Amino acid sequence: MPFTKFTNLDFDQIKTQIKSYLRANSDFKDFDFEGSNFSALIDTLAYNTYITAFNSNMVVNESFLDSATVRENVVSLARNIGYVPRSRSAAKAQISFPYNTTSTASTATLSAGLVCVGTVENTNYLFSIPSDITTTIVNGVANFDNINIFQGTFLRKQFVVDGSLDQRFLLDNSFIDSSTIVVKVKGLSDTGVGREYSQANNILNIDSTSEIYLLQEVKDERYELLFGDGYFGKKLENGAVITVSYIITDGKEGNGPTNFAYSGRVVDDLGNAIIPSSNISITTNSAASNGGDIESIDSIKYFAPRIYASQYRAVTARDYEAIIQSIYPNTESVAVVGGEELDPPEFGQVLISIKPKNGDYVSDFDKQNIQSKLKNYSLSGINQKIIDLKVLYVEIDSAVYYNSSQVSNVNEVKSKVMSVLNTFSTSNINKFGGRFKYSKLGQIIDGSDSSITSNITRVIIRRNMKCLLNQSAQYELCYGNTFKKNAGGFNIKSTGFTLANQTGTLYFTDVPDATGDMGVLSVVKESSESNEFTVIVKSAGTIDYKKGEIIVSTLNITSTVAPNDVIEIQAFPDSNDVIGLKDLYLSFSVSDSTINMVKDTISSGEQISGVGYKTTSSYLNGSLKRGDTSTATATLSTSTTTSTSTSTTTSTSSGTSSSGGGY
């Protein structure tokens, strides 16, 4: 019998193998035709073998973290190496409001539970607090300032400890935000609601008196509490009452509310309700954000072994990546650059850049919180610094040829192209260290609709320079990719801006030097003649085409055409394959890309000989302004050339950023 891969067998293969065995045995006859009774027995045996082999294969697969597919099994395997998957995270908002009252009480307590209702897109969401908040009443007003509220419903559950049972402390609800869990244990001699226990992530620095609990995910995305055994953590006494409060949340669906209506309860120090003497007006300090879903199976598989490998210390870049994901669940992607990699080097420094799931930037509050928690993992002598996200945008200018005889509505074909491009960006590119692969892009464009015959696609890279308006500053933009250079210039294009003591809208452009590796950055102004520009500042900076680096000398920029005080500066990559290096977050900007639908007159049969066929250049136009689709070549006039002004205040840069740096 030939060698058989039993793990790949299907029903027909098993049946064939059984017949081959019987055929080799002279004791069995008249089996090799479908109508025989023996054939029915062979089918039964093959079916039973197939089911057994399938189940065995599945059992083996579910025994390993890499191959397991059932969430309960993946969570269990991760638990074996001390990893607790991230729970749902409630959207958080910060509010303030005065509570006017005629009460004679000295203090007012905002009770844990429902506080207000937020509204977004005609949908109401409940917002709660996990613990009581107490403030003083001054002149009939209790000011509740900077209160963090969590989207979701507040719940409580109690357990009575019974040492005679194999007792488990299970929370009945799914969709719990584990960060809102508050555990209080009231012993037989305790008063009030008892002592609050803290959650522990590991058993390091825990002794027999530590009032801690451990948390683990169990079936159906619920959670179980584990308490100490008298050796690692304080042991619970019989009859003790455990009170667990928590918030169940809608996750990322709760993001967005900015307007809130009060629905809370305020009591005095005796627990009596305090009635407000006027309507309560809530001020929103920050909108609800950072809500997220429970950690996915793929994420657990990726981060569990990395957390285990880090052993609760941050040394390597992978350590930081895994740890930051655990302490800041809203993380989408992380880049870590050691100070020794910077130019010039900054030894003992670690630069961390985080792309959150919602938005582009981490708030100052979250930065401080992350840095504070990182101290528990970092080595002495190493300073961590969280820097703002630096984005390297990739855009395309594509001419898509289509067979008009197969198309009733060309806009529908264009919509299909845009759809596959959006999918391509989210699944393959948008991340630190992302790669834009030109060949794959061409394939998905051609494959987006059967009517598309070909495409001519040109690639643009862009960074946004955040300007410090009305002050002299220097800027540095690193693209991490070699620039394509034309000896005639116009390799760099920008959106418009204005300078102090200059009139009109100005633009950046470049002039390569004789070596070809370096160039001069100039500031120019459009003349009255179309595509003619006058040099305003001849030497406004330098360009390193090989490194893909632009340094802007001291300029006093007063305004920008683009919003948010930004100048968009684009270049053309020497390679159509673009890579996001170091702390650059690569983002395929489909919305800023250009898709032009071009009729393929040869494929449609309109022009058999090809006479009059419309061609598209594979090289970009010679216009100067960013966004200008003109094919005319711009020209420079140096009749009013000036030099850059002397600065009085200079903002210098280090590494890949400056105080007026790019993002």
Side-chain angles (χ1 to χ4, degrees):
M1 296 178 58
F3 176 76
T4 303
K5 292 184 177 180
F6 291 97
T7 56
N8 296 329
L9 291 180
D10 59 18
F11 175 82
D12 292 329
Q13 288 177 308
I14 296 173
K15 186 176 178 179
T16 300
Q17 291 296 318
I18 294 174
K19 287 185 175 182
S20 297
Y21 171 77
L22 294 176
R23 193 175 294 114
N25 193 327
S26 61
D27 294 336
F28 297 96
K29 301 179 180 179
D30 299 328
F31 63 86
D32 199 6
F33 62 94
E34 294 299 324
S36 69
N37 293 330
F38 215 130
S39 180
L41 293 175
I42 291 175
D43 288 344
T44 303
L45 180 60
Y47 179 76
N48 181 74
T49 304
Y50 172 72
I51 295 298
T52 302
F54 176 81
N55 288 334
S56 300
N57 191 46
M58 291 297 296
V59 169
V60 173
N61 285 340
E62 294 298 313
S63 300
F64 298 93
L65 184 61
D66 288 343
S67 56
T69 57
V70 179
R71 180 177 182 88
E72 185 178 349
N73 296 332
V74 173
V75 171
S76 178
L77 292 168
R79 187 188 308 133
N80 292 337
I81 54 177
Y83 184 79
V84 179
R86 298 188 302 276
S87 69
R88 277 199 180 192
S89 54
K92 303 175 190 62
Q94 190 179 84
I95 62 172
S96 300
F97 60 89
Y99 197 91
N100 298 304
T101 179
T102 57
S103 173
T104 58
S106 59
T107 63
T109 298
L110 182 63
S111 300
L114 180 63
V115 172
C116 56
V117 178
T119 303
V120 61
E121 296 181 354
N122 297 321
T123 302
N124 294 330
Y125 293 94
L126 304 180
F127 282 79
S128 308
I129 55 175
S131 303
D132 295 343
I133 298 176
T134 301
T135 187
T136 57
I137 300 177
V138 179
N139 298 325
V141 180
N143 286 307
F144 293 94
D145 296 325
N146 303 323
I147 296 183
N148 294 317
I149 56 177
F150 301 79
Q151 188 278 313
T153 303
F154 178 80
L155 298 174
R156 279 196 180 97
K157 184 177 179 64
Q158 283 191 340
F159 303 91
V160 178
V161 179
D162 186 349
S164 64
L165 303 176
D166 186 14
Q167 193 172 17
R168 299 182 67 185
F169 305 102
L170 296 172
L171 304 181
D172 299 327
N173 306 93
S174 302
F175 312 142
I176 295 175
D177 181 349
S178 63
S179 68
T180 65
I181 295 177
V182 178
V183 177
K184 294 183 179 181
V185 179
K186 182 181 180 182
L188 300 180
S189 60
D190 294 330
T191 58
V193 295
R195 301 174 62 85
E196 184 171 335
Y197 277 43
S198 59
Q199 182 180 340
N201 296 321
N202 56 76
I203 60 174
L204 299 176
N205 301 318
I206 293 177
D207 57 27
S208 60
T209 61
S210 300
E211 296 178 336
I212 56 94
Y213 69 93
L214 302 174
L215 193 69
Q216 66 179 22
E217 183 183 333
V218 291
K219 188 178 181 181
D220 299 329
E221 300 179 6
R222 298 179 298 150
Y223 289 92
E224 179 182 9
L225 304 178
L226 303 174
F227 293 89
D229 57 0
Y231 297 95
F232 296 101
K234 186 177 181 179
K235 187 177 182 179
L236 300 176
E237 59 181 324
N238 278 337
V241 178
I242 303 171
T243 303
V244 186
S245 60
Y246 50 88
I247 291 174
I248 58 174
T249 178
D250 295 310
K252 65 180 181 181
E253 293 181 7
N255 292 323
T258 57
N259 299 316
F260 299 93
Y262 177 77
S263 297
R265 181 172 183 266
V266 175
V267 299
D268 59 20
D269 51 358
L270 297 177
N272 301 315
I274 299 178
I275 308 301
S277 59
S278 62
N279 292 331
I280 298 173
S281 178
I282 294 179
T283 300
T284 303
N285 301 332
S286 62
S289 61
N290 294 339
D293 293 331
I294 195 167
E295 186 171 6
S296 66
I297 292 176
D298 289 339
S299 178
I300 297 172
K301 290 181 179 181
Y302 181 82
F303 286 106
R306 285 159 177 78
I307 286 288
Y308 177 75
S310 72
Q311 294 294 299
Y312 302 100
R313 82 286 184 268
V315 177
T316 68
R318 286 184 176 269
D319 293 343
Y320 279 101
E321 179 185 6
I323 290 170
I324 289 174
Q325 288 275 358
S326 66
I327 63 179
Y328 184 58
N330 193 40
T331 300
E332 178 183 298
S333 188
V334 180
V336 180
V337 180
E340 71 280 358
E341 299 181 60
L342 302 177
D343 186 18
E346 298 181 18
F347 299 103
Q349 190 90 307
V350 175
L351 302 183
I352 304 170
S353 188
I354 301 173
K355 170 65 171 68
K357 294 178 181 177
N358 305 301
D360 291 332
Y361 303 102
V362 180
S363 67
D364 291 337
F365 174 80
D366 286 334
K367 286 180 182 177
Q368 294 174 2
N369 189 39
I370 294 169
Q371 285 189 289
S372 176
K373 292 181 178 179
L374 276 177
K375 292 180 180 179
N376 299 324
Y377 303 91
S378 61
L379 301 177
S380 61
I382 302 297
N383 297 317
Q384 297 95 6
K385 182 180 180 181
I386 300 177
I387 59 177
D388 287 331
L389 183 72
K390 301 181 188 67
V391 184
L392 176 64
Y393 297 95
V394 179
E395 305 167 4
I396 62 172
D397 183 358
S398 183
V400 181
Y401 287 77
Y402 67 97
N403 186 344
S404 59
S405 65
Q406 301 179 7
V407 175
S408 58
N409 188 341
V410 67
N411 289 326
E412 292 181 358
V413 180
K414 185 176 180 178
S415 295
K416 289 182 180 180
V417 174
M418 298 298 290
S419 178
V420 297
L421 289 177
N422 282 311
T423 302
F424 179 66
S425 67
T426 56
S427 61
N428 296 277
I429 301 174
N430 295 350
K431 60 182 178 180
F432 290 105
R435 293 180 61 190
F436 175 87
K437 300 178 181 179
Y438 184 76
S439 61
K440 291 188 176 180
L441 177 78
Q443 290 175 4
I444 68 165
I445 293 177
D446 286 348
S448 60
D449 190 85
S450 59
S451 65
I452 295 176
T453 59
S454 66
N455 69 90
I456 302 294
T457 299
R458 299 170 295 200
V459 180
I460 302 166
I461 54 177
R462 164 175 62 92
R463 288 202 62 194
N464 293 347
M465 188 175 83
K466 181 71 171 179
C467 300
L468 303 176
L469 299 185
N470 299 305
Q471 57 182 298
S472 298
Q474 298 176 341
Y475 307 87
E476 181 178 355
L477 296 175
C478 294
Y479 293 69
N481 292 261
T482 302
F483 295 159
K484 179 179 176 59
K485 55 186 179 295
N486 185 348
F490 303 117
N491 302 291
I492 303 299
K493 304 182 185 186
S494 77
T495 53
F497 60 94
T498 60
L499 288 179
N501 303 319
Q502 296 288 344
T503 60
T505 303
L506 308 176
Y507 303 89
F508 286 121
T509 191
D510 66 302
V511 179
D513 62 14
T515 65
D517 290 337
M518 301 294 295
V520 176
L521 187 72
S522 300
V523 176
V524 298
K525 178 180 179 180
E526 190 171 15
S527 305
S528 57
E529 299 292 332
S530 178
N531 276 319
E532 287 190 4
F533 294 83
T534 301
V535 178
I536 302 300
V537 181
K538 184 177 181 180
S539 181
T542 60
I543 301 173
D544 190 322
Y545 296 101
K546 191 173 183 179
K547 291 183 178 180
E549 183 178 80
I550 298 175
I551 296 178
V552 182
S553 302
T554 305
L555 293 176
N556 189 345
I557 300 171
T558 56
S559 68
T560 63
V561 173
N564 302 319
D565 304 333
V566 161
I567 300 175
E568 298 176 356
I569 303 178
Q570 71 173 57
F572 310 129
D574 186 61
S575 169
N576 284 331
D577 282 1
V578 181
I579 303 175
L581 299 178
K582 293 186 179 180
D583 58 342
L584 288 178
Y585 182 89
L586 193 68
S587 176
F588 182 22
S589 183
V590 180
S591 59
D592 291 316
S593 298
T594 302
I595 306 297
N596 296 308
M597 305 302 296
V598 183
K599 185 185 295 185
D600 190 337
T601 55
I602 295 178
S603 297
S604 64
E606 297 178 34
Q607 296 179 348
I608 299 177
S609 66
V611 178
Y613 177 79
K614 184 177 181 181
T615 61
T616 301
S617 173
S618 298
Y619 302 95
L620 289 148
N621 64 74
S623 63
L624 187 143
K625 296 185 292 184
R626 169 169 162 78
D628 188 356
T629 58
S630 171
T631 57
T633 301
T635 58
L636 289 179
S637 171
T638 58
S639 59
T640 60
T641 299
T642 63
S643 59
T644 185
S645 60
T646 304
S647 93
T648 55
T649 58
T650 302
S651 175
T652 59
S653 64
S654 66
T656 59
S657 66
S658 73
S659 58
Y663 66 86

